[in-house]
Amino acid sequence: MLYAVTLLLPLSAFVGNAPDAASASRVDQSGIAMSAVARNVNMGKLQAGYLFPEIGRRRTAYIEANPNTRPIISLGIGDTTLPVPEHILNGLKAGAAKLGTKEGYTGYGPEQGIAQLRSKIAKNLYDDKIDPSEVFVSDGSKCDIGRLQMMFGSSTKTAVQDPSYPVYVDTSVIMGQTGLMNQERKQYENIVYMPCNPGNNWFPDLKNTPRADIIYFCSPNNPTGAAASRAQLTELVNWANKMGSIIVFDAAYAPFIRSPDVPKSIFEIPGARTCSIEVNSFSKYAGFTGVRLGWTVVPKELTFADGSPVAADYNRIMCTAFNGASNIVQSGVLAALDPEGLAEIKALAEIKVMIDYYMENARILKETMLDIGMEVHGGDNAPYIFVGLKGQSSWDMFSKILSEAQVVTIPGAGFGPGGEGFLRLSAFAPRDSCIEACKRLRTVMKP
């Protein structure tokens, strides 16, 4: 019974000092105990919830309030819907099966990714324009953006396209790089917002853009669908080298590029190796949104102001905050980069390739919006359609379409102040759902 008695002794019997009275008595209005740990002030700067969970919350609330509604169709989050092809799937299965054998079992792998995969990425996706040692394999480009922010720290100044993928801004806020949100402009202090809109062909006016340390640039762009030309990216690279800035180039939608004048990698541009990092992903390339695998390329020539290599610091971050991508998933990607896997990506669904399947959806959505008489952007080199709402509120239109058409879209305002007045449509729904959504949208969005 000694053990039971011990449990009843006060904590002060085991430590030198009991908690002070102020800490011990901290409770909320309901009488529930609270910790004495101060909240990270940067978390308090964030506005509402992260965009995509907020969309999910509103969808769920609508279904709960309307349990007998017809099925909801999602043209919202960019989540793939086609199944993983057989050869790539067999690669995943083989990777899992190895773990059940003494000879094939592997534990922790290299934090940077297995050497064979790094080599295949460099060869098959970059035509050996980069060295395998510059490739850092990960669990996704979104995670890599967070790790890059961890490396850059709180003293850097960030520039983003406006509108842009919200992760760039939110991670800057969390890292303490920003001031508070200016409620009038709907912009955070100490972030350089680079307006990208139909008036400047979705490319920032760099001559009149203040210098920033880190420039987040996504092409093809999420949410606008705009893809920067070779001339535009050359201007961006030259400007970054002149300013001593580092570009973080998000190429997650590069496989959707069709125009010959649109580079798929920033490293196609002369001078990029001294000013650029590239993040990329197999999420859209091989249908790995739920499987999770991405990579980041950090060139050897890229240095900080003191001359130290950026790659060395990023390697330290990966070794400290990451234990390496799943061995099973890496096995699947090795299969995806085999000739058979590449053929599957190019020949899925018999007639349509995987990428072309989604781009056909984009064509259907774009033509529908044009037929309705809307202002339409994107859809040619990206799986997103950015629809101008002729002055209407994007959140109001989101709510109208959800309640009247039972279709989920994404309000442009969720991507920054430059997105207000636009609606993003994703082309990743199954074909029949995409066609049905267009029928519903024609009724709800017609003038």
Side-chain angles (χ1 to χ4, degrees):
M1 299 300 295
L2 178 61
Y3 184 68
V5 172
T6 302
L7 290 177
L8 297 176
L9 291 175
L11 180 62
S12 57
F14 300 99
V15 296
N17 296 296
D20 61 64
S23 298
S25 62
R26 290 180 60 85
V27 294
D28 66 12
Q29 293 180 348
S30 301
I32 299 174
M34 298 159 41
S35 80
V37 178
R39 186 187 185 199
N40 178 351
V41 294
N42 298 308
M43 297 299 297
K45 297 176 185 176
L46 293 170
Q47 302 296 296
Y50 183 63
L51 174 61
F52 301 111
E54 175 62 17
I55 296 295
R57 186 192 68 78
R58 295 190 184 207
R59 170 180 172 159
T60 299
Y62 174 80
I63 293 173
E64 290 176 350
N66 301 274
N68 297 320
T69 187
R70 60 183 167 177
I72 302 286
I73 296 175
S74 178
L75 301 179
I77 188 170
D79 193 1
T80 53
T81 53
L82 289 177
V84 175
E86 184 178 2
H87 179 77
I88 301 173
L89 184 63
N90 286 337
L92 292 167
K93 291 178 179 178
K98 286 180 182 178
L99 299 181
T101 66
K102 183 176 180 180
E103 298 78 14
Y105 176 80
T106 51
Y108 292 125
E111 290 88 350
Q112 307 81 3
I114 61 176
Q116 184 184 6
L117 179 54
R118 299 171 81 189
S119 295
K120 274 197 169 187
I121 290 173
K123 178 177 177 59
N124 292 355
L125 301 182
Y126 291 90
D127 295 325
D128 289 325
K129 289 184 176 68
I130 62 172
D131 189 84
S133 66
E134 298 172 327
V135 177
F136 295 83
V137 177
S138 72
D139 51 347
S141 57
K142 182 176 180 179
C143 304
D144 283 347
I145 291 166
R147 285 185 278 259
L148 284 168
Q149 290 281 34
M150 189 186 304
M151 177 185 72
F152 293 136
S154 61
S155 62
T156 54
K157 191 180 186 75
T158 289
V160 297
Q161 294 159 285
D162 181 25
S164 68
Y165 185 42
V167 169
Y168 314 138
V169 169
D170 284 5
T171 53
S172 297
V173 174
I174 292 169
M175 281 303 301
Q177 298 170 4
T178 76
L180 298 173
M181 165 72 77
N182 183 307
Q183 295 298 339
E184 182 178 348
R185 299 197 312 267
K186 299 300 181 184
Q187 296 178 341
Y188 286 98
E189 303 293 347
N190 205 44
I191 285 185
V192 175
Y193 289 83
M194 304 184 295
C196 295
N197 50 57
N200 59 17
N201 197 25
W202 303 105
F203 188 79
D205 178 10
L206 297 178
K207 293 179 181 177
N208 295 302
T209 299
R211 181 194 177 276
D213 298 303
I214 312 300
I215 307 160
Y216 286 91
F217 196 91
C218 180
S219 177
N221 183 264
N222 178 12
T224 67
S229 68
R230 191 171 303 277
Q232 288 174 329
L233 290 184
T234 297
E235 181 184 352
L236 178 66
V237 165
N238 290 341
W239 183 69
N241 276 319
K242 178 182 177 181
M243 295 293 180
S245 305
I246 294 177
I247 302 166
V248 176
F249 188 75
D250 189 341
Y253 298 97
F256 295 91
I257 291 172
R258 293 294 178 268
S259 301
D261 188 44
V262 175
K264 294 186 176 183
S265 169
I266 194 69
F267 298 116
E268 295 180 34
I269 306 301
R273 292 184 61 86
T274 56
C275 68
S276 304
I277 293 169
E278 182 166 296
V279 297
N280 212 320
S281 167
F282 282 98
S283 288
K284 310 304 189 294
Y285 191 88
F288 272 26
T289 52
V291 181
R292 310 305 306 144
L293 195 124
W295 72 93
T296 291
V297 179
V298 187
K300 297 176 182 177
E301 294 93 326
L302 186 64
T303 64
F304 289 111
D306 63 358
S308 61
V310 174
D313 279 10
Y314 191 62
N315 183 67
R316 178 60 187 270
I317 291 290
M318 293 294 282
C319 292
T320 301
F322 187 57
N323 260 345
S326 160
N327 296 333
I328 298 171
V329 174
Q330 290 188 79
S331 179
V333 175
L334 282 170
L337 295 178
D338 281 343
E340 298 88 343
L342 292 170
E344 281 185 330
I345 292 171
K346 295 176 181 177
L348 188 66
E350 297 181 359
I351 298 174
K352 292 294 181 183
V353 307
M354 182 184 290
I355 300 301
D356 281 353
Y357 179 94
Y358 296 126
M359 290 307 293
E360 176 65 11
N361 283 352
R363 183 194 67 78
I364 293 169
L365 290 168
K366 185 170 186 175
E367 286 191 358
T368 298
M369 292 296 105
L370 289 171
D371 287 347
I372 293 173
M374 307 301 290
E375 170 195 338
V376 185
H377 307 277
D380 297 320
N381 292 294
Y384 295 123
I385 311 299
F386 211 48
V387 182
L389 300 177
K390 300 180 179 180
Q392 299 180 77
S393 160
S394 58
W395 276 109
D396 287 350
M397 181 59 75
F398 162 86
S399 298
K400 175 181 173 66
I401 292 173
L402 178 59
S403 63
E404 297 183 18
Q406 291 74 53
V407 174
V408 174
T409 59
I410 302 291
F415 298 95
E420 180 54 280
F422 292 89
L423 200 70
R424 194 195 77 174
L425 308 181
S426 167
F428 289 110
R431 179 65 45 75
D432 57 348
S433 297
C434 182
I435 292 172
E436 173 62 23
C438 286
K439 292 179 182 178
R440 300 182 189 182
L441 292 174
R442 285 180 185 275
T443 300
V444 174
M445 297 184 70
K446 66 181 179 181

